[in-house]
Amino acid sequence: MLHIGYHESTSNGLEGLGLEALEAGADTFAFFTRNPRGGKAKDIDPSDAEKLNALRKEHNFAPPVAHAPYTMNPCSQDEGLRQYALDMFIDDLLRLEYTPGCYYNFHPGSHTGQGAEAGIDFTSTMIAEGIKKAEKKCGKDLSTVVLIETMAGKGSEIGRTFEEVRAIIDKAEQKYGTSLKGKLGVCLDTCHIWDGGYDIVKDLDAVISQFDKIIGLDRLKAIHLNDSMNDLGAHKDRHEKIGEGHIGFDALKRVTVHPALKNLPFILETPNDQTGYKKEIEMLR
Ligand code: FE
Ligand code: FE
Ligand code: ZN
């Protein structure tokens, strides 16, 4: 069965996320861990979290995919912004322990002129330090797996190529001290890799085998399923509704049934309201 959901608003609380998903025929969902534009996170209501956990269990949800705020730039040139990113990262990981078994994806960031190599170095520091400190505060391994999102390469974004994602993982493991397998994975965004220059329309198999060779399919934990308003390699990052963009329905459908991908949670981040998402889920199912 296809595991699919969409990015929901948290305005109805944690249980509300699960209820809205059920209403839309979804069995997973995504949500921002806090206001995506910054600010202090609302305190978690443990009984609300408990209700969501029970609902997920009862209805056999696939792992939800929590999204870090856009204000998190772990490879900023500004030390204060890097510290701010690390603090949010740790805080989010601790908060996610109230809803065990989620994924937590974040954008590896924009190097803002220092060059990709410096950016990769800073971002790997946040991952290693963040996971280490969150584990220490928790007193145990986290139940959340952290996911690096593949990016479109807009502006000075890092994580546009599979090689850059691999380099972030390698450096994070060096700094952490041991392998982060089982703790650190990748979330592949179809709009982003298309805009980044990976032709998933003409040759999905080749892109997937490249991913496997460079990063390893065992690291791939979730898919952001989006069409793109722009052409292959445009480096723009503008999501389009499924079937209305340059990737198209057929190619995106093939992504959902590919043997290497079909069991992962698929998250729609298309420009839709609830009715639109419900339709896309029906169409893809
Ligand atoms: Fe994202
Ligand atoms: Fe995405
Ligand atoms: Zn995007």
Side-chain angles (χ1 to χ4, degrees), residues 67 70 105 107 149-151 187-192 223-226 237 239 267 269:
H67 199 303
Y70 292 145
N105 87 271
H107 294 179
E149 183 168 349
T150 59
M151 301 309 292
C187 171
L188 186 143
D189 186 309
T190 55
C191 168
H192 295 176
I223 307 278
H224 285 170
L225 194 73
N226 302 306
D237 188 2
H239 302 189
I267 301 294
E269 301 174 307

Side-chain angles (χ1 to χ4, degrees), residues 258-278:
H258 193 284
L261 314 176
K262 64 176 189 192
N263 293 319
L264 300 173
F266 289 85
I267 301 294
L268 300 163
E269 301 174 307
T270 46
N272 272 308
D273 56 15
Q274 204 183 340
T275 322
Y277 281 124
K278 200 172 169 175

Side-chain angles (χ1 to χ4, degrees), residues 187-258:
C187 171
L188 186 143
D189 186 309
T190 55
C191 168
H192 295 176
I193 63 166
W194 168 260
D195 280 26
Y198 291 97
D199 195 345
I200 54 173
V201 174
K202 282 222 183 81
D203 205 346
L204 176 64
D205 277 331
V207 174
I208 291 173
S209 72
Q210 239 179 311
F211 186 101
D212 192 31
K213 223 169 65 200
I214 298 162
I215 301 172
L217 279 170
D218 54 345
R219 295 276 188 176
L220 184 56
K221 302 297 180 192
I223 307 278
H224 285 170
L225 194 73
N226 302 306
D227 213 326
S228 173
M229 285 188 187
N230 292 288
D231 249 335
L232 178 67
H235 305 304
K236 285 270 171 51
D237 188 2
R238 304 268 323 270
H239 302 189
E240 182 52 285
K241 292 181 179 148
I242 303 296
E244 294 184 20
H246 283 73
I247 303 175
F249 177 80
D250 290 347
L252 289 165
K253 176 76 197 173
R254 282 196 296 274
V255 170
T256 65
V257 297
H258 193 284

Side-chain angles (χ1 to χ4, degrees), residues 67-93:
H67 199 303
Y70 292 145
T71 44
M72 179 188 286
N73 185 6
C75 63
S76 168
Q77 234 167 341
D78 181 313
E79 202 196 327
L81 289 179
R82 291 201 303 274
Q83 184 61 47
Y84 177 60
L86 175 65
D87 292 342
M88 280 195 287
F89 187 80
I90 295 170
D91 189 45
D92 278 352
L93 286 173

